[in-house]
Amino acid sequence: MNPILVTADRLWDGTGAPTRLRPVVRVADELISAVDTSLLAPAACGGERFDFPGCTILPGLIDTHVHLVMSALDTNEAIIAQVTGENEAQLLSRIEANARSALLAGLTTIRDCGGTRNHVQQVRDRIRRGDIVGPDVLACGSPITTTRGHCHWLGLTADTFQEVEHAAERMLAQDADFLKVMATGGNMTASSDPMKAQYDAATLCRIADIGRAAEKHSAAHVLSRSALPAVVAARYRTIEHCDWRVEEYRYEFDPELAKRIVDQNQFVGLTMSGLARRAFLPQVRAFDIGPVKRLDARFACERRMIDFGIRYTIHSDAGVRLCPIDRFALGLRAAQVELKLTPAEILRAVTATAAEAIGLPDRGVINPGKRADLIIVEGDPLHDLTCLEKMRAVMKAGRWVVPPR
Ligand SMILES: [Zn+2]
């Protein structure tokens, strides 16, 4: 393939360096070959050139927690009825459609944290082969959960230590990229209790160990403090949601535990899903449910984690209610309002940090030798995150997957 040159007004490379002006990014095959800030003489510019005046070049965005099989309907009941009622062809076609939509939001990599059977793996592989267009996908298959536990309706239930071992091994045999466990109950599943741990410490540890033995990372869903010490002790790579709730409306941050998270280089995934987007979704404020009523306390605790130095990604949990996969930027704007983060901090969380958290060191920053995953947006998102909603082009591994407009 001929080299490609991409120019714009600005470049933000994800490394933490300040924005550079008048950048030229050179792409050869799948990789970034050079990043310059002075235009070469036309004769030296072999290859095809794409100019984006008024725009900013950024690393492709990474959403570390989505559910491609879910459709972001208005209620949990409707989502569950759809996922459990549809046939394989219908499920696969929604997974494909959501994957395609993710690209339009600038997501070049997504990690799917729970689907039906091996459907997400099938779509992942079709994208890899080039049969269909979509972001790179990491899939866990289905999350491991208890009978009637959180997301039991996705189909992978295991109660005893041995059943859990089998479940983890089954996911690896189905070519999962990582393991996901529901360490506590969750809001979506009425028969589960978010305040209670679903597994004991030894069982949680065994899942992470099985993952490590297969050179895969593991992710744990944690909606209360009940399971947090065991998840930290088991050294799960990512702690999804990482709620420090000890009572329905009370959060209790523990610096000792937080220090261990930092020391072990674990990452927390902060969830800016539909409900957390209250600043932009007026209908959420009218919801008379616990997860909405405790948002202030939740955000205060998340801010403490950030101030403490815990490394974090920001994810959408896309597919859950009111949270379509193509509105990723809205969750980032919510993080700016609710967690008092700067656009640069937020963008870092969904590029360089996200890549590191999910074990993909080949991406997340724009540097020579890294994979050419680029997005080009109108304006300057370092000053205004709404610029992420004006996507001009998306490149994945050196190819335009959303062609320049
Ligand atoms: Zn989720």
Side-chain angles (χ1 to χ4, degrees):
M1 228 191 337
N2 269 337
I4 294 174
L5 300 179
V6 185
T7 77
D9 284 13
R10 288 166 296 273
L11 174 135
W12 183 84
D13 67 13
T15 65
T19 302
R20 280 182 267 177
L21 298 178
R22 304 294 305 147
V24 186
V25 178
R26 284 193 265 187
V27 174
D29 299 319
E30 292 188 0
L31 303 179
I32 295 160
S33 58
V35 184
D36 301 311
T37 45
S38 58
L39 274 177
L40 302 169
C45 298
E48 209 176 347
R49 181 171 152 177
F50 295 88
D51 295 317
F52 294 95
C55 294
T56 305
I57 305 171
L58 303 150
L61 305 177
I62 301 171
D63 193 342
T64 53
H65 186 142
V66 303
H67 299 278
L68 289 171
V69 79
M70 298 183 200
S71 53
L73 299 174
D74 284 352
T75 67
N76 294 333
E77 294 71 24
I79 293 170
I80 296 168
Q82 191 177 47
V83 168
T84 54
E86 286 187 345
N87 64 32
E88 178 153 292
Q90 289 170 314
L91 295 169
L92 284 169
S93 88
R94 189 167 46 257
I95 293 168
E96 288 186 10
N98 279 334
R100 215 176 307 121
S101 298
L103 281 179
L104 298 175
L107 294 163
T108 48
T109 302
I110 53 180
R111 186 178 65 158
D112 189 282
C113 280
T116 40
R117 302 198 277 283
N118 70 341
H119 297 148
V120 176
Q121 291 96 306
Q122 287 186 44
V123 172
R124 171 198 69 192
D125 294 345
R126 294 196 64 196
I127 294 170
R128 255 184 215 163
R129 288 195 301 267
D131 299 346
I132 53 170
V133 175
D136 271 16
V137 177
L138 294 190
C140 69
S142 299
I144 300 167
T145 192
T146 52
T147 305
R148 296 172 59 76
H150 182 41
C151 287
H152 67 86
W153 38 273
L154 285 172
L156 187 64
T157 56
D159 296 311
T160 67
F161 187 86
Q162 244 183 5
E163 285 167 1
V164 165
E165 275 185 329
H166 288 153
E169 267 145 21
R170 209 169 106 208
M171 286 304 100
L172 294 176
Q174 291 180 7
D175 206 15
D177 300 294
F178 68 103
L179 296 174
K180 165 92 186 283
V181 63
M182 299 306 194
T184 68
N187 297 319
M188 264 191 100
T189 309
S191 55
S192 77
D193 183 354
M195 293 308 296
K196 288 206 176 108
Q198 299 201 141
Y199 296 107
D200 62 19
T203 308
L204 287 172
C205 196
R206 183 69 186 130
I207 296 168
D209 283 343
I210 289 172
R212 276 187 284 269
E215 297 185 343
K216 316 264 184 192
H217 72 269
S218 297
H221 155 109
V222 176
L223 272 193
S224 62
R225 266 277 295 277
S226 57
L228 193 53
V231 164
V232 174
R235 292 180 292 121
Y236 277 79
R237 180 79 170 156
T238 70
I239 307 172
E240 304 302 300
H241 321 304
C242 199
D243 258 39
W244 298 69
R245 246 186 326 150
V246 288
E247 285 168 20
E248 184 63 20
Y249 295 101
R250 197 163 65 84
Y251 287 66
E252 207 173 84
F253 183 81
D254 173 2
E256 289 288 309
L257 200 53
K259 184 174 181 307
R260 204 162 165 201
I261 293 173
V262 173
D263 290 346
Q264 297 184 157
N265 201 24
Q266 291 172 292
F267 294 79
V268 301
L270 306 179
T271 308
M272 300 311 288
S273 63
L275 301 183
R277 300 172 183 189
R278 61 180 179 180
F280 303 101
L281 299 177
Q283 70 269 42
V284 167
R285 288 192 287 272
F287 280 17
D288 189 32
I289 52 172
V292 173
K293 286 192 267 189
R294 55 176 180 261
L295 278 173
D296 286 329
R298 194 199 106 180
F299 290 136
C301 198
E302 290 177 347
R303 186 64 232 190
R304 277 198 81 179
M305 284 197 272
I306 293 166
D307 290 337
F308 193 88
I310 292 179
R311 304 187 69 197
Y312 59 95
T313 67
I314 298 172
H315 66 240
S316 66
D317 216 346
V320 303
R321 71 186 146 195
L322 303 166
C323 195
I325 200 160
D326 59 355
R327 300 300 316 275
F328 186 62
L330 195 62
L332 304 188
R333 289 167 60 200
Q336 186 177 13
V337 173
E338 306 287 5
L339 301 174
K340 315 277 183 289
L341 291 164
T342 65
E345 288 170 324
I346 289 165
L347 289 168
R348 198 101 205 271
V350 298
T351 54
T353 308
E356 201 184 330
I358 62 176
L360 298 173
D362 62 339
R363 65 196 74 184
V365 297
I366 300 177
N367 262 343
K370 295 287 181 183
R371 231 171 75 124
D373 288 354
L374 307 174
I375 61 171
I376 292 100
V377 302
E378 272 176 44
D380 184 359
L382 278 306
H383 283 105
D384 179 4
L385 286 172
T386 62
C387 294
L388 296 173
E389 290 161 0
K390 295 171 225 154
M391 200 61 58
R392 285 285 300 278
V394 179
M395 177 183 279
K396 192 186 98 175
R399 285 176 187 275
W400 294 115
V401 283
V402 175
R405 284 174 282 193

